[in-house]
């Protein structure tokens, strides 16, 4: 009987223990189910961490400003070779496309008739000199005789007049001889300037005349060489205002330096200088012509080539340059940028940009030295949002490195 009671007691205790264990497990599951929504609700209600952005500190720097203008090359000197006497061309004494020197004989015109005219003028001069000798002696004798009334005064006057006429005839014959000599020399057509000669329009055997419309050939001096470029009057006025206000200072004391970019994009290895700017404005384009001169020792530049001239405008000692990727546009097209405000939030600035300098914008308004300009991570922020700035070194900025991604 006691054994049965003990067995029943053990059975009741086991049932009781199992019920208690089940109740404890149910309570634990209920508490876990309640705590999970509470934790998620608490996490959803918390503020997101600040977005991490890459920034650069704005600094003022000294920048030499240049402007690139289109232009054409032009020969320093151009001379058309023309005959000054008529005749048959006997010889051509140069190679087309070669370099010639001033005074070098280029063509030989038949000199026969001009040689004969020269000889005739020379003989006439000799005859006049021979005649004047007897007339001079006669005039001297009459001068002595008229003093003693051996000859009449009229005879003496006639002898004096004949002497003067003979001497004048000598001077005329001298001039005729010089003219004949010049014409004879003109049968040798020479180069008027040094330079490179082009093709010959006339060949040996052709008949040429003095004052003809068509030139025999053309000589162009290529070293140095001109480069003519055009600049708008608006840019000229802006440059003058900036120089007058002191915002820019002149890059050179005398003449501005000019560099060239050739048609294939390569840079010309010689530096030129600006010679003058025209005072007349082209009414059709609203621009003026600037002329620069360049050394051209190897004749790399040829007349008529298209080039781009890079002119030094001046030096801005307090220029603010910012990376182009940091500048965007608002709906109105105005340039804007994002900076880190003093309270650690992103702020939007409206800028005024003047031009590009390399891969950067030159900013005249909207930024000041010391501002933290946001360069990377702009897609994760908006004005007023908190940000975590990460300073970008110049090397990482040049390499286009991105800061760490925004934590999820």
């Amino acid at each position: 009987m006691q054994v049965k009671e003990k067995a029943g007691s053990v059975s009741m205790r086991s049932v009781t223990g199992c019920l208690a264990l089940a109740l404890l497990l149910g309570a634990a599951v209920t508490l876990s189910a309640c705590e999970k929504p509470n934790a998620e609700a608490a996490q959803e209600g918390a503020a997101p961490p600040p977005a991490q952005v890459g920034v650069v500190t704005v600094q003022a720097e000294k920048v030499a400003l240049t402007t690139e203008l289109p232009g054409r090359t032009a020969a320093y000197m151009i001379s058309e070779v023309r005959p000054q006497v008529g005749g048959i061309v006997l010889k051509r004494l140069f190679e087309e496309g070669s370099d010639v020197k001033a005074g070098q004989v280029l063509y030989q015109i038949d000199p026969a008739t001009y040689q004969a005219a020269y000889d005739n003028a020379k003989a006439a001069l000799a005859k006049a000199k021979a005649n004047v000798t007897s007339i001079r002696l006669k005039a001297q004798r009459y001068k002595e005789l008229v003093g003693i009334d051996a000859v009449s005064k009229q005879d003496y006057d006639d002898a004096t007049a004949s002497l003067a006429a003979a001497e004048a005839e000598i001077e005329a014959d001298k001039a005729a001889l010089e003219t004949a000599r010049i014409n004879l020399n003109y049968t040798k057509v020479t180069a008027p300037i040094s330079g490179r000669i082009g093709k010959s329009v006339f060949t040996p055997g052709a008949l040429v005349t003095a004052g003809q419309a068509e030139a025999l050939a053309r000589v162009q001096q290529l070293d140095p060489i001109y480069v003519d470029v055009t600049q708008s009057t608006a840019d000229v006025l802006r440059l003058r205002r900036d120089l007058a206000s002191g915002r820019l200072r002149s890059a050179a004391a005398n003449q501005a330096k000019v560099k060239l970019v050739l048609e294939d994009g390569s840079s010309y290895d010689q530096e030129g200088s600006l010679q003058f700017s025209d005072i007349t404005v082209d009414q059709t384009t609203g621009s003026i012509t600037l002329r620069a001169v360049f050394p051209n020792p190897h004749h790399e530049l040829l007349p008529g080539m298209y080039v781009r001239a890079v002119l030094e405008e001046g030096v801005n000692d307090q220029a603010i340059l910012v990376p182009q990727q940091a500048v965007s546009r608002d709906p109105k097209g105005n340039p804007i940028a994002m900076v880190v405000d003093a309270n650690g939030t992103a702020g939007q600035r409206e800028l005024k940009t003047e031009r590009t300098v390399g891969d950067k914008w030159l900013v005249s308004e909207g930024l000041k030295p010391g501002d933290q300009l946001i360069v990377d991570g702009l897609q994760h922020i908006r004005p007023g949002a908190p940000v975590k700035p990460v300073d970008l070194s110049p090397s990482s900025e040049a390499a286009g490195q991105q800061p760490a991604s925004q934590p999820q």
Side-chain angles (χ1 to χ4, degrees), residues 164-340:
E167 291 176 344
E169 185 177 356
I170 289 177
E171 296 301 322
D173 290 341
K174 285 181 179 180
L177 178 63
E178 181 65 17
T179 300
R181 184 191 66 81
I182 292 174
N183 289 334
L184 179 61
N185 288 338
Y186 279 160
T187 60
K188 296 180 178 180
V189 182
T190 60
I193 61 172
S194 298
R196 179 165 293 182
I197 193 167
K199 67 178 182 179
S200 176
V201 180
F202 290 82
T203 60
L207 175 64
V208 296
T209 58
Q212 66 182 29
E214 192 171 10
L216 302 179
R218 188 167 67 165
V219 180
Q220 301 182 79
Q221 183 177 342
L222 304 181
D223 184 24
I225 194 169
Y226 285 131
V227 174
D228 295 332
V229 298
T230 56
Q231 186 176 34
S232 68
T233 53
D235 290 338
V236 173
L237 294 175
R238 174 188 55 79
L239 178 60
R240 289 178 178 176
R241 282 195 298 266
D242 290 345
L243 291 173
S245 64
R247 186 176 177 184
L248 288 179
R249 60 182 177 85
S250 177
N254 298 321
Q255 295 176 334
K257 300 298 181 183
V258 187
K259 297 181 180 180
L260 277 189
V261 179
L262 303 180
E263 290 178 304
D264 59 357
S266 61
S267 297
Y268 185 57
D269 58 357
Q270 299 285 341
E271 191 177 67
S273 59
L274 187 64
Q275 292 294 300
F276 79 96
S277 60
D278 203 350
I279 59 174
T280 303
V281 178
D282 188 339
Q283 297 181 5
T284 58
T285 61
S287 60
I288 62 174
T289 299
L290 309 178
R291 168 163 280 187
V293 62
F294 282 81
N296 190 27
H298 305 297
H299 295 174
E300 184 177 356
L301 300 177
L302 300 176
M305 289 179 61
Y306 172 79
V307 293
R308 297 195 305 274
V310 181
L311 281 70
E312 292 183 358
E313 287 190 350
V315 178
N316 190 339
D317 294 320
Q318 298 295 322
I320 293 180
L321 299 178
V322 300
Q324 292 188 14
Q325 66 266 29
V327 179
S328 58
R329 300 281 175 175
D330 63 11
K332 295 182 179 179
N334 299 318
I336 57 175
M338 302 292 285
V339 298
V340 179

